[in-house]
Amino acid sequence: MEAPHSQATDATTRLTLDSPAQMQELGRKIAKLLRPGDLVLLTGELGAGKTTLARGLGEGLGVRGAVTSPTFVIARVHPSLTGGPALVHVDAYRLGGGLDEMEDLDLDVSLPESVVVVEWGDGKVEELSDDRLHVVIDRVVGETDDDRRVVTVTGLGTRWSAAGIDGL
């Protein structure tokens, strides 16, 4: 007789946001679901709101320091002020290779006790964890004053199959 097994199903929710303030608030809401060891990938065009979302994650996690774009330092660690996990904020934009190039950042060492948030991480850091939260931010491109963003949040793996992201 074959042993029963559970198969993780990916959880997805889609939201339309009208302002950077709403993007930051979404980050605060997502932060309430995060725990040490979580990997969050942020995907979107330049100016889509990835860093704004990361700022909200930092606020929600109660970390020290302003969460700003880590483009020139590649990674910043924001320790918790509340006894929770640190936020490791990574910008993989300038890193061309996959996980091999990212090894110098020691993300695999940071991951178990921190929340690791990677901007531009598609195709580069997925091997760090089978369980990850992938946030895709789509915006209107071109010359426009339209601040609307369509945000798709997908929880991949067992960790996120029942995490309640549909309530964001």
Side-chain angles (χ1 to χ4, degrees):
M1 183 169 161
E2 203 171 305
H5 65 283
S6 63
Q7 184 169 355
T9 57
D10 299 340
T12 301
T13 191
R14 182 175 289 219
L15 307 140
T16 300
L17 307 178
D18 295 320
S19 69
Q22 287 181 346
M23 184 69 72
Q24 204 161 333
E25 177 59 26
L26 176 61
R28 287 189 290 270
K29 287 179 180 178
I30 291 173
K32 292 177 183 174
L33 301 174
L34 297 175
R35 62 185 188 208
D38 282 341
L39 174 64
V40 181
L41 299 181
L42 303 180
T43 302
E45 298 288 327
L46 280 171
K50 296 178 299 295
T51 301
T52 301
L53 181 71
R55 189 172 300 119
L57 291 171
E59 289 174 3
L61 290 170
V63 300
R64 184 178 72 211
V67 176
T68 60
S69 178
T71 300
F72 298 105
V73 295
I74 300 178
R76 281 197 177 96
V77 177
H78 298 273
S80 175
L81 295 171
T82 63
L87 172 68
V88 179
H89 185 202
V90 179
D91 186 328
Y93 182 75
R94 293 183 296 136
L95 302 177
L99 198 55
D100 291 341
E101 190 173 345
M102 302 276 298
E103 280 183 355
D104 290 339
L105 300 176
D106 286 332
L107 293 181
D108 54 338
V109 173
S110 299
L111 190 57
E113 70 272 357
S114 304
V115 170
V116 176
V117 177
V118 183
E119 297 186 28
W120 305 100
D122 286 357
K124 298 176 182 174
V125 297
E126 288 89 343
E127 294 174 36
L128 284 173
S129 178
D130 290 335
D131 297 312
R132 61 190 174 276
L133 196 61
H134 192 175
V135 181
V136 178
I137 306 168
D138 292 306
R139 69 175 179 94
V140 178
V141 293
E143 289 292 320
T144 180
D145 290 333
D146 191 343
D147 278 339
R148 274 180 303 150
R149 305 291 195 262
V150 175
V151 181
T152 305
V153 181
T154 304
L156 301 161
T158 309
R159 154 77 175 101
W160 293 103
S161 62
I165 65 169
D166 55 341
L168 293 174

